[in-house]
Amino acid sequence: MTDRPAGHTASRAAAGRPASGPYRVCFVCTGNICRSPIAESVFRALLADAGLDGAVTVDSAGTDGWHEGDGADPRAVAVLDAHGYPGDHTARRFQAAWFPLLDLVIALDEGHLRELRRLAPTPADAAKVRLLRSYDPDAEADGALDVPDPYYGDRAGFEECLRMVEAAAEGLLTAVRNAIQETE
């Protein structure tokens, strides 16, 4: 299933958000201790490198609250550290009330995508939800758009998660940059 809409941007006007203020992105996985903190750290670093860190805010959350208040999984932190990404993080659960405050909600797998769209209070809010790997042309060509949960595996799964996130992050950056330019 392709999650890419025409143009693959997230227009603020179409999403019902005002054009002022920073563009807001939230990455969402299950418990907010593995995949979404990795994606948040990678994307935050990419934004800084692109000079967009002041124009975009990034955070993450989980569809479930099992780990609320916990730090990221130590294996996720180790992989982020090994690749030069900062990893300061506290897990929290995604709230439907956040939709009006966000421009883009990035799901890490199809289950998260379905849950987030179910939580969305309006069709416009549901349209803000995208799969991360839909921004990776190689993943979309393969039809493999989920980032597998590394929680029950070893460090290799976290390395693979990081690789998948990095591969999609450039395409996401382009989409966010385009969305910001549409409002200027």
Side-chain angles (χ1 to χ4, degrees):
M1 173 182 143
T2 292
D3 187 52
R4 183 175 290 192
H8 204 49
T9 63
S11 169
R12 291 179 140 197
R17 287 250 313 125
S20 63
Y23 192 88
R24 292 175 174 88
V25 178
C26 184
F27 293 94
V28 182
C29 69
T30 306
N32 192 217
I33 61 168
C34 297
R35 293 172 284 179
S36 57
I38 289 173
E40 176 185 357
S41 292
V42 168
F43 199 61
R44 185 172 282 128
L46 193 60
L47 288 167
D49 290 347
L52 292 173
D53 50 334
V56 181
T57 63
V58 182
D59 76 40
S60 64
T63 56
D64 294 301
W66 304 320
H67 300 284
E68 279 187 285
D70 294 345
D73 185 289
R75 296 165 295 176
V77 173
V79 166
L80 288 169
D81 286 346
H83 292 272
Y85 295 107
D88 186 34
H89 176 75
T90 302
R92 61 195 188 132
R93 185 175 191 173
F94 187 87
Q95 303 296 315
W98 298 350
F99 272 106
L101 307 173
L102 296 168
D103 295 292
L104 197 54
V105 180
I106 303 296
L108 276 288
D109 70 27
E110 290 276 350
H112 306 132
L113 180 83
R114 285 189 301 274
E115 177 66 13
L116 290 162
R117 287 186 173 165
R118 186 190 66 73
L119 285 173
T122 69
D125 289 325
K128 296 176 184 180
V129 184
R130 304 274 186 269
L131 280 169
L132 175 62
R133 293 197 72 210
S134 69
Y135 294 94
D136 178 352
D138 292 334
E140 190 157 76
D142 293 343
L145 298 181
D146 284 358
V147 176
D149 190 350
Y151 183 77
Y152 294 103
D154 59 15
R155 182 175 167 134
F158 286 83
E159 291 283 353
E160 179 66 5
C161 175
L162 177 64
R163 186 197 65 72
M164 290 177 170
V165 167
E166 288 177 331
E170 286 290 339
L172 177 58
L173 177 65
T174 298
V176 168
R177 184 181 284 129
N178 290 342
I180 291 169
Q181 289 172 350
E182 284 179 11
T183 63
E184 291 178 344

